[in-house]
Amino acid sequence: MTGRMVVALVAVALFSAFGDESPYAMCSHLAYRGEYEVRDSILAGMRDHGVTVVRCDLDWAEVEKAPGKWDFSTVDKVFASAEKAGVKVLPVLGKPPRFRKRVEEWKPPYDAEYLAVWRTYVRKMAERYGQRAVGFEIMNEINSPLGNMRMNAENYFSMFKAAAEEIRAVDPKIRIVTCGFVET
């Protein structure tokens, strides 16, 4: 069995587990410049083609505009557009704002202060969107050579565990999905 076939089967099983009437899901960057401006037509096109779930990055940088200053207007509009189109959202939580980045984007140190602010972002997302999302994916492609991410399993687990604890504290029924990996 090829790697692509395994990925396809896992994707069908994952979205079937979410109880959707269709096994079709797509990835889009609905909160990013370019796609954000035409999100309604993208989502309508998805729905017209049988897509019932969109997986999209709803980054930390999108909602914390300055230290402690939270603005959910972009993400609110993404959810409103998806709901209008009849498409459910699987948010990918990740990418910190520039003022939260360490020397290299997702590399250690993950000290208590950094994890506390990560937890705040995750909790705010779960409180605001937990009942509207099909679940939350914790980061994406953390072992990618692009952008010097290359987070190892131990570091990813510390971030994943912190996120899972915050999401479970909001609602233990919210689904939590591990990230996609590259070169594996």
Side-chain angles (χ1 to χ4, degrees):
M1 189 177 297
T2 69
R4 287 186 183 137
M5 181 174 268
V6 170
V7 169
L9 291 173
V10 169
V12 168
L14 173 66
F15 290 107
S16 294
F18 288 145
D20 296 304
E21 64 274 9
S22 168
Y24 301 112
M26 292 185 80
C27 179
S28 188
H29 298 290
L30 298 172
Y32 293 179
R33 185 178 310 273
E35 289 186 39
Y36 177 74
E37 291 80 8
V38 293
R39 69 190 177 282
D40 290 332
S41 62
I42 291 171
L43 288 159
M46 286 181 183
R47 185 60 195 186
D48 290 347
H49 289 88
V51 173
T52 57
V53 175
V54 62
R55 174 188 172 272
C56 63
D57 298 277
L58 297 176
D59 297 331
W60 185 357
E62 272 314 315
V63 297
E64 190 182 19
K65 303 297 185 176
K69 303 293 183 201
W70 300 90
D71 177 2
F72 294 93
S73 59
T74 297
V75 178
D76 286 346
K77 289 175 185 170
V78 168
F79 268 89
S81 292
E83 289 163 351
K84 178 181 173 189
V87 177
K88 297 175 185 169
V89 179
L90 174 63
V92 179
L93 304 182
K95 292 184 188 165
R98 290 194 187 280
F99 58 86
R100 294 282 184 213
K101 289 183 181 180
R102 296 303 199 226
V103 175
E104 293 184 53
E105 189 169 322
W106 282 110
K107 290 190 174 181
Y110 300 129
D111 57 25
E113 178 186 349
Y114 189 75
L115 283 174
V117 187
W118 164 251
R119 285 174 175 275
T120 299
Y121 155 66
V122 172
R123 181 178 283 261
K124 285 180 176 290
M125 292 294 285
E127 287 171 347
R128 192 171 190 100
Y129 306 108
Q131 297 302 311
R132 298 165 70 189
V134 296
F136 290 97
E137 181 175 331
I138 310 306
M139 296 187 250
N140 185 42
E141 298 177 350
I142 54 90
N143 62 331
S144 171
L146 303 174
N148 296 317
M149 288 176 66
R150 290 282 186 204
M151 182 186 290
N152 66 30
E154 181 180 350
N155 295 331
Y156 177 67
F157 182 73
S158 70
M159 299 291 281
F160 184 91
K161 183 177 184 234
E165 289 170 355
E166 294 304 316
I167 292 167
R168 291 287 181 248
V170 171
D171 183 347
K173 294 177 189 158
I174 295 174
R175 290 180 177 88
I176 303 170
V177 181
T178 188
C179 73
F181 297 93
V182 297
E183 299 177 346
T184 54

